Amino acid sequence: MPIVNIQITREGTGPGRHAATAEEKAAVIKGVSQVLLDVLKKPLDATFVVIEEVELENWGWGGQSVSALRRQQAGGSR
Amino acid sequence: MPIVNIQITREGTGPGRHAATAEEKAAVIKGVSQVLLDVLKKPLDATFVVIEEVELENWGWGGQSVSALRRQQAGGSR
Amino acid sequence: MPIVNIQITREGTGPGRHAATAEEKAAVIKGVSQVLLDVLKKPLDATFVVIEEVELENWGWGGQSVSALRRQQAGGSR
Amino acid sequence: MPIVNIQITREGTGPGRHAATAEEKAAVIKGVSQVLLDVLKKPLDATFVVIEEVELENWGWGGQSVSALRRQQAGGSR
Amino acid sequence: MPIVNIQITREGTGPGRHAATAEEKAAVIKGVSQVLLDVLKKPLDATFVVIEEVELENWGWGGQSVSALRRQQAGGSR
Amino acid sequence: MPIVNIQITREGTGPGRHAATAEEKAAVIKGVSQVLLDVLKKPLDATFVVIEEVELENWGWGGQSVSALRRQQAGGSR
């Protein structure tokens, strides 16, 4: 009966990718559900996993939006 | 003062529909708010309801994404 | 497959009660699940409802904690 | 280590705007993170802020969707 | 930068246990964080995992509270 | 109409304190609500703020529970 809400930034894991792929999200669902089965004996068919992909300008870290952070990192100014 | 967050998959309730309609969402808001008024005396104007519609590949159940599940169900392989 | 998270203040609905009763919470679960079945055809056995009861000093409204609000209301100073 | 989830309706703060601007969201992130630093000594670089913008027909208040409310307000029927 | 919120019922995984143990929760944190590192390359030190343990009478499934369900299961009436 | 959910570890801000005080939580509510009024013109009386205090063993960071982290920090082994 677990409910797992996963919030991630909408970013890809490699060049040319701008978001997690369907396969990657399926792998996260599978892996996280398996952890809950292995550790807490929660049956897979009673486990919900919801992935929320958040735009970079909607995620703040260190008092800034991640979009600003990424621009700084790209501009090498950090 | 209740806050109700409702997560549903982005699916329609009938053929040709790919998501809940505005009328259906309004009916959910009305119904859920009424339950909280009837049972817990929470005034309607102090009750927030937020509906989050989640893409099928972002919702996991049984260790799989719902999009994979729906493909299996459509392909009758389950 | 809906997930419903309901946040309410930890308050009773009548004199001498300091929180929702088990019966009231069961009625909320039943009522909310029924709305999702009636409106969106979501099966009851695929619907999760989680009720979070929040201490009054942990809930803010109007820039104040509800505990402060309740003291004002009790003191009639509003 | 705070996690702050902020849900707002997808509405602008002035004529011609239909959503919060990137600058406004950055100011919210900055301001909220600063409050947690000032009051609870939570370091900025350990504070996550996530802003979720919700469509008006997905937000209920007073038993109605906000889109219905806005139509009434626009039509002056309230 | 992932945020993972995990809601589980406050139940133990074996006789005499009424909730997940500290070790089990640590194993869930470790396992889930590792999945996000392996699949989405999310660094461990940028991943937050929050576990919320919910009382059985505050979790609804199938239109009933889990506490009612467990009583039925214990009474073998299901 | 904003809803702000703030999750913090149950820790004090000074020696002898094991959690945020009522005054600190009130200051967080006030400050956060004010930011949303100042930046997005959201009226205070339409803003909900909910603070969730999480036990250290229920919060994971860097693949470990914060309780384990705090023990390491206390033991100077980090």
Side-chain angles (χ1 to χ4, degrees), chain E residues 13-77:
Chain E
T13 54
R17 290 191 195 164
H18 304 289
T21 65
E23 293 70 25
E24 287 169 334
K25 289 183 280 192
V28 167
I29 288 167
K30 187 167 188 284
V32 166
S33 305
Q34 191 63 45
V35 168
L36 292 164
L37 175 61
D38 295 345
V39 178
L40 294 177
K41 299 186 179 118
K42 303 291 186 184
L44 294 182
D45 62 8
T47 297
F48 282 166
V49 178
V50 175
I51 298 171
E52 180 189 342
E53 300 173 84
V54 179
E55 300 303 331
L56 301 191
E57 70 178 34
N58 284 37
W59 192 301
W61 185 11
Q64 299 191 71
S65 69
V66 171
S67 45
L69 274 173
R70 293 294 180 252
R71 281 195 299 272
Q72 288 166 18
Q73 289 164 347
S77 65

Side-chain angles (χ1 to χ4, degrees), chain B residues 4 6-13 17-33 48-54, chain C residues 35-36 38-42, chain D residues 54-61 63-68 71:
Chain B
V4 184
I6 302 173
Q7 295 172 293
I8 53 174
T9 47
R10 191 185 292 277
E11 293 180 287
T13 54
R17 290 191 196 164
H18 304 290
T21 65
E23 293 70 25
E24 288 170 333
K25 289 185 279 192
V28 166
I29 288 167
K30 187 168 188 283
V32 166
S33 305
F48 282 166
V49 177
V50 174
I51 299 171
E52 179 189 342
E53 298 173 82
V54 179
Chain C
V35 167
L36 292 164
D38 295 345
V39 178
L40 294 176
K41 300 187 181 116
K42 304 290 187 185
Chain D
V54 180
E55 300 303 329
L56 300 191
E57 70 178 34
N58 283 37
W59 193 300
W61 186 13
Q64 299 191 72
S65 69
V66 170
S67 44
R71 282 193 300 271

Side-chain angles (χ1 to χ4, degrees), chain A residues 60-76:
Chain A
W61 186 12
Q64 299 191 71
S65 69
V66 171
S67 44
L69 274 173
R70 292 294 181 253
R71 281 194 300 271
Q72 288 166 18
Q73 289 164 348

Side-chain angles (χ1 to χ4, degrees), chain C:
Chain C
M1 231 175 287
I3 297 171
V4 184
N5 267 284
I6 301 173
Q7 294 172 293
I8 53 174
T9 45
R10 192 185 292 277
E11 293 180 287
T13 54
R17 289 190 195 164
H18 304 290
T21 64
E23 293 71 24
E24 288 169 333
K25 290 184 279 191
V28 166
I29 289 167
K30 187 168 188 279
V32 166
S33 305
Q34 190 65 43
V35 167
L36 292 164
L37 175 61
D38 295 345
V39 178
L40 294 176
K41 300 187 181 116
K42 304 290 187 185
L44 295 182
D45 62 7
T47 297
F48 282 166
V49 178
V50 174
I51 298 171
E52 180 188 344
E53 299 174 82
V54 180
E55 300 301 332
L56 300 191
E57 70 179 33
N58 283 36
W59 193 300
W61 186 12
Q64 298 190 74
S65 69
V66 171
S67 45
L69 275 173
R70 293 295 181 252
R71 282 194 300 272
Q72 288 165 20
Q73 289 162 347
S77 65
R78 176 167 280 240

